[in-house]
Amino acid sequence: MRNAPTILHLDMDAFYASVEQASKPSLRGKAVIVGGLGPRGVVATASYEARIFGVHSAMPMAQARRLAPNAAYLVPRFRIYRDVSERVMGLLRELSPLVEPLSLDEAFVDLEAGGVAWDAESARLVGVKLRSDIRAATGLAGSVGLAASKMVAKIASEEAKPDGLVLIEPGTERGLLGPMSVRVLPGVGPATGDHLRRAGIHTVEEIAEAGEDELVRLLGKAHGHALYAMALAHDERPVVAEREAKSVSVEDTYDVDIHDRLRVGLEVQRLADRCVRRLRGAGLSGRTIVLKVRRYDFSTLTRSETLRGPTDDPAVVREAAARLLEGVDTTGGVRLLGVGVSGLADFTQEDLFAQAAGEVAAEADDLGGGGAVAEEALGTSGAAVEGDRDGDAVGEAQAQAQPQPAERRWHAGHDVRHAEYGHGWVQGSGVGRVTVRFETPESGPGRVRTFRVDDPELEVAEPLPLVAAETPVAPG
């Protein structure tokens, strides 16, 4: 390990919720919960005001509503989250060529590699300036941890929350970690934590005292050795600039269990197409097709098939996913479906037979093309294919149906613009009405107005920047 705290870990505070509060002046200082709003949605992020009520990430949305009934519940706006993330990551890359993003709102930075820090004092100054720069560029707060290793830097940033900075001097790590719960260490989840607790081990110091041999006996060779090293604050992992993707996948959770086998098949085909679009967008291909099915009783089945070579052909992925589905019993209903591709590569080996079959299928059009309505929001999905018809009836109905204008849908929290009242965001909709609050990041709390869902003067809008761009000063 290095002898200076020059590994920085940045974690943006309650990122999604903080972006929403920065965008919407009326929500600042109030409980905000972002996630899937359907009956089976989950919380993606809760603001600190919401956490007071016990709401936290990954909690079922129904439980969150019981704990915080008066909070603002919003559908995620991933485009603005990505835009803000890119600005933050750009600031990190100005510090060092070695930036390792973990997610949209979290990253490690090797300050020593960038030549901007070499001891505790210089590292602290970099951390202070970074937090200031992030607030100036985005209006948001980020917490910073500084240490000589990635593990301790991440723990330090957790200790710094919210909106703080914690620096751990090399040599003091064990004193910090000792009294902490074993769950603070990477790789110690609920199951491992319970196993250690039953052995009388509750803290990091007790892991160190138990000794390596006892941990290997309890947890196995690999996990035991790794956990003992972490308890001694030994972590030699470098900051890696590019984290190679291991798989690409998409999945949907359904508000109502799907019982109709044809409908399940159509959903799998739709998910396969979405997965391939994401795969191609990343310039990748893959050899192994994976199908995930969560049934009505919460049991989850995963099936996979490995092809002769990597592919990014939607027909190949659809056919493989369909074959995998044939081996899965969906009697009783399905609550979640997912399709993924692993064994990634940056080249393809075309399957000519599947490609030919895909060309024939394309002429008949994709059966799922007009039969399902998917939501990109976390944990929500719906579908409009009727489940009480046989396959022939569904195909005939689709062939004879006349094109219908799509019903306008207004997602809570998303941006809109009205011809008269300007920019605003959707507070809610239902019974043919949509309620909009008209405000911008630079305004005060705005007025609320209600319109018909088909009001021609109301339209979907792009998110506004959280911080207004500075107006250049004209030369005198």
Side-chain angles (χ1 to χ4, degrees):
M1 283 174 52
R2 59 188 71 193
N3 56 11
T6 52
I7 291 181
L8 180 148
H9 181 260
L10 171 72
D11 197 350
M12 300 296 292
D13 297 339
F15 183 54
Y16 295 174
S18 294
V19 170
E20 299 301 340
Q21 289 176 320
S23 297
K24 304 169 172 67
S26 59
L27 298 184
R28 293 170 190 169
K30 297 182 180 179
V32 174
I33 298 169
V34 180
L37 303 190
R40 291 176 176 172
V42 296
V43 175
T45 308
S47 70
Y48 285 98
E49 295 86 354
R51 296 180 191 186
I52 294 173
F53 300 99
V55 180
H56 57 77
S57 298
M59 172 181 284
M61 191 61 75
Q63 182 181 355
R65 289 186 183 276
R66 289 193 295 269
L67 293 173
N70 297 319
Y73 289 86
L74 307 176
V75 174
R77 298 184 299 154
F78 289 109
R79 175 167 181 174
I80 189 169
Y81 305 153
R82 285 192 293 267
D83 289 346
V84 175
S85 174
E86 287 173 5
R87 297 200 70 179
V88 172
M89 296 301 164
L91 292 173
L92 298 184
R93 293 185 180 98
E94 291 176 6
L95 299 176
S96 172
L98 294 184
V99 176
E100 183 178 343
L102 304 179
S103 62
L104 289 177
D105 61 338
E106 186 180 2
F108 287 109
V109 185
D110 188 333
L111 301 179
E112 186 174 316
V116 295
W118 47 90
D119 59 13
E121 183 58 27
S122 59
R124 184 183 297 277
L125 290 175
V126 169
V128 169
K129 184 177 186 300
L130 174 64
R131 293 178 59 239
S132 175
D133 290 345
I134 289 173
R135 188 176 291 277
T138 68
L140 304 180
S143 293
V144 167
L146 291 157
S149 70
K150 291 168 69 173
M151 180 187 76
V152 179
K154 183 172 173 61
I155 292 172
S157 71
E158 285 296 321
E159 293 293 300
K161 285 183 171 291
D163 193 17
L165 183 152
V166 169
L167 183 148
I168 307 300
E169 292 273 9
T172 67
E173 295 94 345
R174 288 194 62 180
L176 169 76
L177 297 176
M180 291 184 172
S181 165
V182 296
R183 292 290 302 275
V184 77
L185 297 179
V188 180
T192 302
D194 288 344
H195 198 49
L196 292 171
R197 178 180 52 80
R198 288 193 295 270
I201 299 173
H202 302 87
T203 67
V204 175
E205 183 58 32
E206 288 171 346
I207 290 178
E209 292 173 351
E212 191 168 16
D213 292 342
E214 176 65 7
L215 290 171
V216 169
R217 187 186 70 80
L218 288 171
L219 304 175
K221 188 173 181 180
H223 201 181
H225 287 313
L227 196 59
Y228 182 70
M230 288 189 290
L232 299 179
H234 293 167
D235 178 16
E236 300 289 347
R237 294 174 300 159
V239 176
V240 180
E242 296 295 334
R243 293 171 58 87
E244 184 176 353
K246 296 181 179 179
S247 65
V248 173
S249 63
V250 296
E251 63 181 42
D252 277 342
T253 301
Y254 302 96
D255 290 345
V256 179
D257 289 348
I258 302 177
H259 294 271
D260 183 82
R261 183 74 178 188
L262 173 63
R263 163 94 179 275
V264 172
L266 292 173
E267 287 294 298
V268 168
Q269 300 297 294
R270 182 178 61 82
L271 289 167
D273 287 340
R274 280 175 53 195
C275 182
V276 170
R277 286 197 296 271
R278 184 171 295 182
L279 192 71
R280 288 181 167 181
L284 297 170
S285 60
R287 296 183 63 230
T288 301
I289 314 303
V290 181
L291 175 70
K292 177 180 177 181
V293 180
R294 181 167 298 149
R295 300 188 290 191
Y296 70 99
D297 59 357
F298 286 90
S299 61
T300 302
L301 304 177
T302 302
R303 300 288 185 266
S304 64
E305 174 182 318
T306 299
L307 308 174
R308 294 196 305 270
T311 185
D312 65 354
D313 187 331
V316 176
V317 177
R318 282 198 302 265
E319 291 168 8
R323 287 193 296 270
L324 294 170
L325 180 61
E326 290 174 1
V328 176
D329 180 9
T330 59
T331 304
V334 170
R335 61 186 292 120
L336 177 147
L337 290 167
V339 174
V341 177
S342 60
L344 301 182
D346 57 3
F347 64 94
T348 65
Q349 180 174 315
E350 295 180 354
D351 186 322
L352 299 180
F353 295 102
Q355 186 178 41
E359 291 170 355
V360 172
E363 294 175 1
D365 199 7
D366 181 4
L367 286 177
V373 178
E375 308 256 356
E376 293 299 330
L378 292 180
T380 65
S381 180
V385 177
E386 295 182 10
D388 57 350
R389 305 179 182 180
D390 59 25
D392 291 339
V394 171
E396 181 180 350
Q398 289 178 336
Q400 295 178 354
Q402 296 296 320
Q404 298 293 327
E407 180 182 346
R408 302 178 76 186
R409 304 190 65 179
W410 304 101
H411 299 294
H414 282 211
D415 298 87
V416 295
R417 177 170 293 280
H418 190 273
E420 179 179 353
Y421 301 110
H423 192 93
W425 57 277
V426 176
Q427 279 202 328
S429 64
V431 199
R433 296 287 186 270
V434 55
T435 300
V436 177
R437 184 180 289 273
F438 291 98
E439 60 186 8
T440 70
E442 300 297 321
S443 73
R447 297 280 301 276
V448 175
R449 297 183 183 275
T450 299
F451 307 91
R452 298 192 318 272
V453 292
D454 59 352
D455 190 318
E457 294 191 318
L458 189 66
E459 61 183 9
V460 175
E462 296 295 327
L464 296 177
L466 301 187
V467 176
E470 294 183 6
T471 304
V473 178

